[in-house]
Amino acid sequence: MKSADMRISYLISRSSRYVFTIGWIALVTALFVVLRDELDTTLIALLYLIPLGLISAYWGMGPGVGGALLTFLTFNYFFIRPYYTLAVHRLTDMVILAIFLVVAVAISRLVGRLQASLLAATAREREVTQLYALSSALSASQDENEIVEILANQIQEISHAGRLEIDLAGSNSFSLPLSSANLTERPPELAIPMQTARGLLGEIRLWKTTPSIRPEEQRLLETLASQAALALERARLRQTESRAKILEESDQLKSILLSSVSHELRTPLSTIKAAASSLRGHAVSWDSPASAELISAIDDEADHLNILVGNLLDMSRIESGALKPKREWNILSEIVASVLTRMRYVSDEHTLEVDLPENLPFVPVDYVQMEQVFTNLLSNSLKYAPIHTNIQIQARAEGQAICIRVSNQGPQVPPEHLERIFDKFYRVTAADRVTGTGLGLSICKGIVEAHGGRIWAENIPDGFAFVFTLPRLLDGAPPPQLPMDPEVE
Amino acid sequence: MSAEPHILVIDDEPQIQRAIRTILTERGFKVTTASKGEDGMTFAAANPPDLIILDLGLPDMDGIEVCARLREWTQTPIIILSARDGERDKVAALDRGADDYLTKPFGIEELLARVRVALRHSANRAGTQPNKMIRAGDLTIDLAWHLIKRGETEIKLTGTEYKLLAYLASNHGRVLTHQNILVNIWGPADADHTEYLRVYMRQLRKKLEIDPERPKYILTEPGIGYRFIAD
């Protein structure tokens, strides 16, 4: 229904130009008839050229040439003697008439063509502007969905389609229903393939409400489609490239990991094997102190192996982005206490000072992961700090964050290493002098960053400190209030 | 319960089966093993054990489901075994009716302690009068008289603190998940408010523990819940 209405109005606007041309000429002719006795025939012919020029300029070549022919007739009929006939008796009149016809048609055509080329130039300019807008919008975008959305909006601006669908091969389709009318029941007016040298990337389908798609409009849409196809291809290539790069890096990482890990795993395994086989082979008697020593070595080394394997798992989880903290409101002192309880057996040689303010607010953290951070930072400190020195854990609320420091009186780290000690397998000292996978600190970094915090290391006057921050809000919200507690029963 | 408690071990790894069977048999238990979930459920139905040790990672079906299906018809205590990072699975299995858990690799003392606690709780459930007087170190918790004492000194608790402690203590030795405690003390609407627990456990530890920073009675099970340790 709607499209039929529009078609009619379009026809009216076209034919009305001719009606107006006729009316305009009739008006001018009437004026000239009144003034016929005052004006010379030649002058009238010249005066007739003015309305004709205007008609061509405003309404184009068709009405212009039509008007010229009509004027030729009216001029002959009303102003060439004998009046009110189309007969011509005098040779001069015949010449005037002939010249008038030639000039009128020529002017109309010239002015009309000028008008048409002006319109074409304006249209070209608009097209160029639109293309420019699209390509500059696309060049900034690397995301497929974003590209499709930009394209859809641009097409809509040009074509005023009733419905628009962009279908990407091997991906989801994007549709933009623009009018309430259900247009998908009929086939689309226009389907433009999105083609690149590497193949078909998708298709754009248009349902129009206006009668037809003009050839220049179609050409512009095709240009837009190929621009967008190029941008899509570029985005995909970039993705493939970065994926290839990641793969290459992870390959490299894997080989470092394997060499570091096999060394680390073999050490406790050797101990276990040696101890177990000597107990089994009765090399030491079961009730001697040596056997107790061996048994506890087996137990300790098994724990050590377990920690190593755990670190590897954590690291691979961080690497693959699978480490999602389950953030809940926790009390820092509870986490630290449970870490210290567990680590007591290793910390006998150092003095641990815990300074967590009583009024320290809740922190939104994953309990288990935060334990891991403290465990790793503490065991790193224990490993490097000389025995009988202090290790301190401090926490302070600072604005929107909580700042936690784990400091020790161990040797300082040269400034150029401070940043890199959180890298995987990075060691300040030679690998054979300390044990561990070289993963502990990078796991800390992964966990703290997954919580939205930051971690760094710094040299302090009498030693070395790890510092990390954690946000105090959980999804933008402060800790909840507790319900009222009935007093003593 | 017969003189020789019967334990069913459902685990697909032969080494673990061997180790558990050797140790438990040595300690006077009768041990049956199954390496698949389906087999385990069949064995449990044919010859009801006193306790089930269930690995969560079975080849044929999800251990959590085995747990839920066993709970449809039996109250036999279930101890689950799982990998280190399976907190989510452990909590799911505990909330679906498992009684306790052990993380692989585990020490044998730990396993025996869990087995003892689980057998005791199942005996209590079976009708013997539950203990109304619980001792932990120098603490006495009298559930009948709502009285908590350290030595001879009474410890004053608020209403919620008492309810919480009474619940923990009457399940002493067992792990209780956050959700389990929250639902029992605050009600189902507050099942997600772990922070309530964090606050009240801190208050309780301050009143009960000798060194609240190194608790001996109320232990945190990271990512899972709490466990009360009595004598």
Side-chain angles (χ1 to χ4, degrees):
Chain A
M1 272 319 287
K2 201 170 174 190
S3 81
D5 283 350
M6 288 192 73
R7 188 167 303 164
I8 290 165
S9 75
Y10 177 73
L11 285 176
I12 289 174
S13 87
R14 265 198 89 91
S15 48
S16 67
R17 292 179 186 180
Y18 288 93
V19 176
F20 280 124
T21 303
I22 293 166
W24 187 213
I25 289 168
L27 194 73
V28 174
T29 308
L31 185 72
F32 290 164
V33 169
V34 175
L35 300 172
R36 184 161 59 191
D37 298 332
E38 317 294 324
L39 300 172
D40 185 47
T41 320
T42 339
L43 188 59
I44 289 175
L46 280 175
L47 286 174
Y48 253 133
L49 293 177
I50 297 172
L52 280 179
L54 291 176
I55 288 168
S56 317
Y58 284 108
W59 295 327
M61 190 151 47
V65 173
L69 294 173
L70 180 66
T71 326
F72 168 73
L73 294 178
T74 54
F75 181 53
N76 186 352
Y77 193 76
F78 290 107
F79 304 105
I80 305 283
R81 281 166 222 275
Y83 294 152
Y84 309 117
T85 66
L86 288 178
V88 182
H89 293 300
R90 280 172 28 193
L91 186 66
T92 346
D93 287 344
M94 228 178 265
V95 172
I96 289 174
L97 211 50
I99 290 173
F100 176 78
L101 181 63
V102 170
V103 170
V105 171
I107 284 181
S108 298
R109 290 197 57 183
L110 274 177
V111 174
R113 197 176 297 160
L114 207 65
Q115 167 70 4
S117 61
L118 185 68
L119 281 178
T122 321
R124 286 283 328 145
E125 193 198 344
R126 209 177 56 229
E127 276 176 28
V128 170
T129 317
Q130 279 159 340
L131 267 177
Y132 176 73
L134 179 76
S135 60
S136 58
L138 287 180
S139 69
S141 170
Q142 299 190 10
D143 178 58
E144 263 183 36
N145 288 338
E146 205 180 313
I147 292 173
V148 171
E149 207 176 313
I150 292 171
L151 176 67
N153 289 333
Q154 201 71 31
I155 290 180
Q156 182 48 25
E157 210 167 283
I158 296 163
S159 67
H160 304 288
R163 187 185 162 84
L164 174 62
E165 262 184 25
I166 297 176
D167 215 347
L168 290 189
S171 176
N172 47 341
S173 79
F174 180 92
S175 68
L176 205 61
L178 296 151
S179 71
S180 52
N182 192 0
L183 293 163
T184 42
E185 287 159 8
R186 58 188 172 92
E189 263 79 13
L190 187 62
I192 309 165
M194 294 170 75
Q195 185 89 39
T196 65
R198 290 157 159 267
L200 187 69
L201 293 186
E203 196 179 47
I204 302 171
R205 286 188 286 271
L206 270 182
W207 284 264
K208 294 265 296 189
T209 42
T210 43
S212 62
I213 290 157
R214 282 173 288 126
E216 64 268 22
E217 195 177 272
Q218 179 163 356
R219 200 190 57 230
L220 178 59
L221 291 175
E222 277 163 5
T223 319
L224 290 184
S226 67
Q227 282 272 342
L230 282 176
L232 276 176
E233 190 175 56
R234 209 165 47 226
R236 286 183 183 177
L237 283 175
R238 211 176 289 133
Q239 271 174 14
T240 324
E241 190 191 6
S242 64
R243 221 173 286 145
K245 212 166 164 190
I246 289 169
L247 273 180
E248 192 185 316
E249 275 171 12
S250 81
D251 252 10
Q252 233 170 355
L253 192 74
K254 256 176 221 145
S255 58
I256 305 176
L257 183 107
L258 282 177
S259 66
S260 159
V261 161
S262 51
H263 169 78
E264 281 309 319
L265 293 180
R266 210 165 272 152
T267 317
L269 275 177
S270 316
T271 315
I272 293 172
K273 178 72 185 168
S277 56
S278 59
L279 284 170
R280 191 182 190 189
H282 305 291
V284 284
S285 77
W286 274 101
D287 42 10
S288 69
S291 86
E293 185 84 6
L294 288 176
I295 290 167
S296 89
I298 294 177
D299 199 28
D300 290 351
E301 289 308 299
D303 286 343
H304 185 189
L305 262 182
N306 188 30
I307 291 172
L308 287 180
V309 174
N311 275 349
L312 288 172
L313 273 175
D314 283 339
M315 200 62 233
S316 72
R317 203 163 297 155
I318 290 169
E319 297 270 292
S320 65
L323 184 101
K324 300 239 160 52
K326 186 179 166 217
R327 293 174 75 203
E328 285 178 323
W329 294 108
N330 277 297
I331 298 171
L332 216 45
S333 60
E334 187 180 354
I335 298 176
V336 173
S338 87
V339 170
L340 293 185
T341 314
R342 197 116 26 90
M343 291 184 75
R344 191 160 30 194
Y345 65 99
V346 285
S347 58
D348 288 343
E349 294 169 333
H350 295 83
T351 318
L352 275 168
E353 277 175 40
V354 181
D355 175 16
L356 303 172
E358 186 62 19
N359 60 351
L360 195 74
F362 276 119
V363 244
V365 292
D366 183 305
Y367 192 100
V368 180
Q369 289 179 15
M370 219 20 76
E371 264 194 348
Q372 180 83 31
V373 171
F374 279 107
T375 308
N376 290 0
L377 293 183
L378 281 174
S379 41
N380 189 286
S381 305
L382 291 167
K383 202 153 47 178
Y384 292 98
I387 55 169
H388 306 309
T389 56
N390 283 348
I391 291 174
Q392 236 190 357
I393 301 175
Q394 276 181 315
R396 293 281 176 276
E398 283 177 9
Q400 287 305 301
I402 292 200
C403 183
I404 299 148
R405 305 175 69 89
V406 178
S407 41
N408 63 61
Q409 295 171 315
Q412 300 209 330
V413 169
E416 67 269 22
H417 293 298
L418 280 178
E419 192 128 330
R420 298 203 55 198
I421 58 172
F422 293 100
D423 289 356
K424 284 180 291 274
F425 309 116
Y426 192 79
R427 284 175 199 285
V428 179
T429 42
D432 51 352
R433 289 191 41 214
V434 263
T435 55
T437 41
L439 288 175
L441 294 184
S442 42
I443 290 172
C444 289
K445 185 173 194 237
I447 294 176
V448 168
E449 285 174 358
H451 277 78
R454 223 161 60 75
I455 188 166
W456 67 95
E458 56 191 35
N459 288 314
I460 50 174
D462 61 340
F464 179 72
F466 296 108
V467 190
F468 65 99
T469 62
L470 293 168
R472 280 172 66 179
L473 300 180
L474 178 58
D475 303 327
Q481 295 291 312
L482 292 190
M484 286 290 288
D485 185 15
E487 261 317 300
V488 187
E489 292 207 336
Chain B
M1 206 187 300
S2 69
E4 198 177 57
H6 175 200
I7 297 182
L8 170 63
V9 179
I10 311 177
D11 192 315
D12 62 312
E13 289 165 67
Q15 305 93 312
I16 303 265
Q17 273 190 12
R18 186 173 85 170
I20 296 181
R21 188 197 290 121
T22 314
I23 292 151
L24 290 179
T25 313
E26 183 76 9
R27 294 295 176 115
F29 294 99
K30 180 182 160 217
V31 179
T32 315
T33 55
S35 42
K36 284 187 181 161
E38 285 292 347
D39 296 350
M41 287 190 291
T42 315
F43 293 172
N47 184 9
D50 299 303
L51 181 116
I52 297 169
I53 294 176
L54 168 68
D55 190 309
L56 285 187
L58 292 171
D60 59 332
M61 59 193 294
D62 188 359
I64 300 170
E65 201 194 327
V66 178
C67 192
R69 282 179 45 189
L70 284 167
R71 274 291 168 266
E72 285 169 9
W73 60 272
T74 174
Q75 285 304 310
T76 307
I78 301 174
I79 296 177
I80 51 173
L81 302 181
S82 84
R84 187 185 68 113
D85 320 277
E87 266 83 26
R88 206 179 299 256
D89 288 348
K90 284 178 223 166
V91 170
L94 290 168
D95 285 334
R96 289 286 206 62
D99 291 77
D100 218 321
Y101 75 95
L102 273 171
T103 304
K104 286 180 184 173
F106 48 84
I108 249 28
E109 284 312 313
E110 230 183 327
L111 171 68
L112 291 171
R114 298 280 185 278
V115 168
R116 276 195 298 269
V117 168
L119 289 174
R120 189 188 66 227
H121 278 282
S122 108
N124 284 349
R125 232 183 344 232
T128 26
Q129 197 61 17
N131 201 348
K132 284 288 186 191
M133 183 75 94
I134 293 150
R135 283 175 213 285
D138 56 354
L139 286 180
T140 347
I141 301 163
D142 188 334
L143 295 175
W145 290 93
H146 291 201
L147 208 61
I148 323 289
K149 277 184 184 170
R150 163 171 291 128
E152 288 306 309
T153 337
E154 191 187 336
I155 299 174
K156 295 265 181 212
L157 296 184
T158 66
T160 311
E161 284 167 4
Y162 176 77
K163 265 164 74 183
L164 191 55
L165 178 64
Y167 186 60
L168 286 170
S170 51
N171 285 290
H172 66 91
R174 274 178 79 186
V175 64
L176 299 171
T177 62
H178 294 140
Q179 203 185 337
N180 176 338
I181 305 176
L182 284 163
V183 169
N184 272 285
I185 307 296
W186 280 273
D190 289 318
D192 292 329
H193 290 281
T194 326
E195 67 273 8
Y196 294 1
L197 287 181
R198 302 292 182 210
V199 169
Y200 279 97
M201 291 300 177
R202 185 158 79 149
Q203 285 170 205
L204 269 181
R205 279 173 176 157
K206 272 194 201 138
K207 292 183 180 179
L208 302 177
E209 299 280 357
I210 296 157
D211 177 2
E213 296 306 317
R214 299 197 167 175
K216 278 165 63 191
Y217 308 129
I218 302 174
L219 302 189
T220 305
E221 296 283 335
I224 312 260
Y226 290 91
R227 191 192 297 272
F228 189 88
I229 302 295
D231 292 345

